[in-house]
Amino acid sequence: MGRKQHQSDKLWLTTQEWKYFFGGKKPDRKADPDEVDFKRLPFDHCALSLQPFENPYCDKDGHVFDLVHIIPYLKKYKANPCSGEPLDSKGLTKLNFQKNAAGEYHCPVMYKVFNQSTHIAAIKSTGNVFCYEAIEELNIKAKNFKDLL
């Protein structure tokens, strides 16, 4: 046994080790149905029916449901379909989305069109929906905790 036998031990992974042995994108991997990539539900879709909503309501955790689909579910199961916690219709908040002239949902304060990467927030007391940037700039930083509309 030599004195320098553990000299090549490293406490980190090299890029080659990460790429070929532990992680990273493997180009020869086939698309297995059990290993499909995660795809996020669009913000304007119901979490229960996975269809675009007409009358959006949300629970305290921010899951958005269509009224047509969530009411029969609550009458039958009396639970939140996403988390399984008890939920009744009083725990839902009606969301007031604003549309622009092109029919796209947008923030009524900053007029930014919502997309999949927009951080969207709703005021629970009124149900008005804004981009989080507007709430952060005009409410949180200004310490003015009133609805923006």
Side-chain angles (χ1 to χ4, degrees):
M1 297 280 231
R3 288 190 297 161
K4 297 182 180 181
Q5 66 180 356
H6 298 292
Q7 193 171 24
S8 63
D9 291 345
K10 300 180 288 281
L11 297 176
W12 65 87
L13 295 174
T14 64
T15 56
Q16 297 296 320
E17 290 172 337
W18 173 256
K19 183 176 179 182
Y20 294 114
F21 300 119
F22 298 106
K25 183 167 175 60
K26 306 259 189 302
D28 58 342
R29 187 176 78 173
K30 303 288 187 263
D32 187 18
D34 295 332
E35 294 184 16
V36 293
D37 293 328
F38 174 76
K39 188 170 181 181
R40 186 175 305 277
L41 184 67
F43 71 92
D44 61 345
H45 283 57
C46 171
L48 183 59
S49 67
L50 308 178
Q51 299 296 319
F53 53 69
E54 295 295 323
N55 299 315
Y57 280 77
C58 78
D59 62 354
K60 65 177 178 69
D61 297 326
H63 302 115
V64 180
F65 304 105
D66 195 359
L67 182 66
V68 175
H69 300 290
I70 191 64
I71 293 299
Y73 187 90
L74 290 177
K75 285 182 180 178
K76 185 174 182 180
Y77 298 107
K78 297 178 178 48
N80 188 334
C82 296
S83 64
E85 297 174 358
L87 180 68
D88 60 347
S89 59
K90 293 177 184 174
L92 297 174
T93 305
K94 179 167 177 30
L95 298 179
N96 301 317
F97 279 93
Q98 305 292 326
K99 287 188 176 183
N100 60 10
E104 300 170 321
Y105 293 112
H106 72 95
C107 177
V109 174
M110 299 185 83
Y111 296 102
K112 293 177 85 175
V113 176
F114 294 148
N115 58 26
Q116 296 307 317
S117 60
T118 306
H119 189 169
I120 300 172
I123 307 296
K124 184 172 181 164
S125 59
T126 60
N128 293 327
V129 178
F130 304 100
C131 62
Y132 186 75
E133 294 173 25
I135 292 176
E136 186 177 35
E137 290 292 325
L138 300 173
N139 287 66
I140 297 173
K141 286 186 179 177
K143 296 182 181 173
N144 176 24
F145 296 103
K146 294 182 180 176
D147 194 7
L148 296 174
L149 291 183

